[in-house]
Amino acid sequence: MKENNTKLKSIKIGLLGDDAVGKTSICNSLAGLEFTEDTIATIGPEKIEVKFPLKDGNHIKLILWDTVGQERFRSVTFKAVRNIMNFILIFDVAHKTTLNNLDTWIQEISEKRKNINLILFGNKVDLPKERWEITNEEVKAYAEKHKLIYFETSAKTKQGIKEGFSYIVNKCYKILEE
């Protein structure tokens, strides 16, 4: 590990995906807030700050950008996240179109910047398997195609949330050290 006088004090992470995939609920879960079924739709990009524990016992501030999922607001979303290099792409396992629509987000981000960190969250895995419209094979193929690390998550049960955020935080640290 290289000696580095620069300490990373905060990391900005944008959450991208269609409307109602659970972006706000994931932010709330990470912040320790109680899950609610009737979350109000985000009407503009919202910044949420969360103190996140590191493996060494220290903490870092995560600055989460909870974005609008509706297509008509995409230009506003991209203006809000223009300086962010870390993104979590989120889809709803019960709605296949939400996975397919991530292609647009990936294309937009890739056209505008280089050296970004992207990971994939398949949210709402607490739903019964018979409600899932996406198979594990389809998600695996999608993740491989786009070179994404995939986490199954549930904002309701908190499954996979901390693990996914730990992955992206550690990736940021590794890049800084290099």
Side-chain angles (χ1 to χ4, degrees), residues 33-69:
L33 300 176
E34 190 173 318
F35 178 81
T36 177
E37 294 282 346
D38 56 350
T39 302
I40 299 169
T42 305
I43 56 173
E46 294 182 17
K47 183 172 88 170
I48 300 160
E49 295 183 6
V50 177
K51 187 176 169 184
F52 191 78
L54 300 172
K55 290 178 183 176
D56 64 5
N58 291 315
H59 287 80
I60 190 164
K61 179 171 58 172
L62 297 184
I63 303 169
L64 308 177
W65 284 91
D66 180 9
T67 63
V68 180

Side-chain angles (χ1 to χ4, degrees), residues 29 35 123-127 153-161:
S29 174
F35 178 81
N123 196 36
K124 303 185 185 181
V125 297
D126 56 280
L127 294 172
T153 63
S154 168
K156 186 175 189 174
T157 66
K158 300 184 187 313
Q159 176 186 334
I161 305 286

Side-chain angles (χ1 to χ4, degrees), residues 83-141:
N83 296 321
I84 296 176
M85 301 305 289
N86 307 290
F87 293 94
I88 299 174
L89 303 168
I90 303 168
F91 69 94
D92 177 344
V93 296
H95 294 93
K96 189 172 188 170
T97 57
T98 64
L99 177 65
N100 296 334
N101 290 342
L102 291 177
D103 287 343
T104 304
W105 294 104
I106 292 169
Q107 181 180 355
E108 291 257 357
I109 295 167
S110 299
E111 287 174 359
K112 293 181 176 24
R113 52 184 77 96
K114 302 292 177 219
N115 301 320
I116 53 172
N117 294 316
L118 296 174
I119 63 171
L120 181 65
F121 278 13
N123 196 36
K124 303 185 185 181
V125 297
D126 56 280
L127 294 172
K129 283 275 193 186
E130 57 270 7
R131 290 199 42 207
W132 291 29
E133 290 184 357
I134 302 164
T135 66
N136 288 336
E137 293 78 23
E138 289 171 313
V139 175
K140 184 177 179 183

Side-chain angles (χ1 to χ4, degrees), residues 1 14 16 22 24 28 30 45 48 51 66 73 79 89-90 100 119 127-128 132 143 165 169 172 174 177:
M1 187 186 303
L16 301 174
T24 300
N28 289 344
L30 193 66
I48 300 160
K51 187 176 169 184
D66 180 9
F73 296 115
K79 285 180 184 172
L89 303 168
I90 303 168
N100 296 334
I119 63 171
L127 294 172
W132 291 29
F165 278 94
V169 166
C172 291
K174 185 177 180 183
E177 288 175 350

